[in-house]
Amino acid sequence: MANINVMDLIYWKDTERTGMVFTGLVVGLLSLFQLSIITVVSTISLGALCFTVSVSLYYKILHVLNMGDGVPPFKAYLDLDISFSGELADQYMQKAIVAVVSAANSLKNLFLVGSLFDSLKLLALIYLVTFLGDLCNGLTVLIMGVIALFSLPLFYRQHQAKVDGFFAGIQANVDNVKDILHRIAQGGGPAADTTPGGAKPKTQ
């Protein structure tokens, strides 16, 4: 039975299969710049159906000529069980409901200023997105996302130590800035000495 693992595709474990999926996605998205989505979907579907019918007829002819067993290469995918049991479907539905409710609560807190700092971060993010919208459209961002999906995980796996060190330095700087802002918000006092036996503030 065929087992298509998304992570195997992303990490290029099967180069041929990943190349086909990646090329198909990018070419399909690029086609949307010139053609409507209906034309792209119908053309891709027509090409895929012509291919599968031709291959199926070819293998049947080989079987008639006693030159093969007549089983097409995609027979394993026909036997692949993609159905859900009632219990599994309920679990996925519950997870989806929890995710939707959680997202709704997060948006409520952000837009109704449940946390001023988080709302300001969202404001800055949306402001930056407006500049991104002036530079490119959503389709361009989607294509860049697909390219990043098939390249960045593999790059991270091959250079994990360097990437972790780079982001650790950034996180340290961010934590330092957050600590400074927190001290300013608390009155601008010096940072507490947390080392054992550290200097204690003098009492008058």
Side-chain angles (χ1 to χ4, degrees):
M1 179 178 296
N3 182 19
I4 302 176
N5 192 326
V6 176
M7 298 306 297
D8 290 345
L9 292 176
I10 292 176
Y11 285 107
W12 295 79
K13 291 185 178 180
D14 188 339
T15 305
E16 181 178 354
R17 177 177 295 174
T18 300
M20 293 175 59
V21 173
F22 175 69
T23 303
L25 286 174
V26 174
V27 171
L29 292 174
L30 288 174
S31 300
L32 294 177
F33 280 112
Q34 301 295 332
L35 305 171
S36 68
I37 187 171
I38 296 176
T39 303
V40 172
V41 172
S42 61
T43 302
I44 292 176
S45 301
L46 181 63
L49 188 58
C50 289
F51 172 76
T52 54
V53 170
S54 300
V55 171
S56 180
L57 289 175
Y58 173 73
Y59 275 84
K60 288 185 181 299
I61 293 174
L62 291 180
H63 180 62
V64 172
L65 298 176
N66 294 323
M67 299 176 61
D69 55 7
V71 179
F74 41 80
K75 180 64 168 60
Y77 297 100
L78 290 173
D79 298 333
L80 183 63
D81 185 13
I82 59 174
S83 61
F84 286 144
S85 64
E87 182 179 353
L88 187 59
D90 290 339
Q91 291 179 359
Y92 281 115
M93 182 61 67
Q94 291 176 2
K95 291 180 179 179
I97 293 175
V98 170
V100 170
V101 172
S102 177
N105 285 330
S106 298
L107 291 175
K108 178 189 67 175
N109 291 330
L110 289 171
F111 282 94
L112 299 182
V113 197
S115 171
L116 180 60
F117 185 66
D118 291 339
S119 297
L120 290 176
K121 288 193 296 184
L122 178 63
L123 178 64
L125 177 62
I126 295 177
Y127 183 69
L128 293 176
V129 170
T130 59
F131 285 101
L132 181 62
D134 292 334
L135 297 175
C136 57
N137 57 26
L139 186 57
T140 303
V141 175
L142 184 59
I143 293 174
M144 293 171 59
V146 171
I147 295 175
L149 179 64
F150 282 89
S151 58
L152 293 183
L154 183 62
F155 176 83
Y156 174 74
R157 170 172 287 185
Q158 295 176 343
H159 305 85
Q160 183 173 356
K162 294 181 180 179
V163 174
D164 288 345
F166 175 76
F167 281 104
I170 294 178
Q171 185 63 43
N173 292 330
V174 171
D175 291 340
N176 188 34
V177 172
K178 289 172 64 176
D179 182 60
I180 292 174
L181 294 176
H182 179 72
R183 293 205 306 269
I184 293 175
Q186 296 297 323
D193 188 354
T194 58
T195 58
K200 303 297 189 298
K202 294 181 179 181
T203 56
Q204 299 295 333

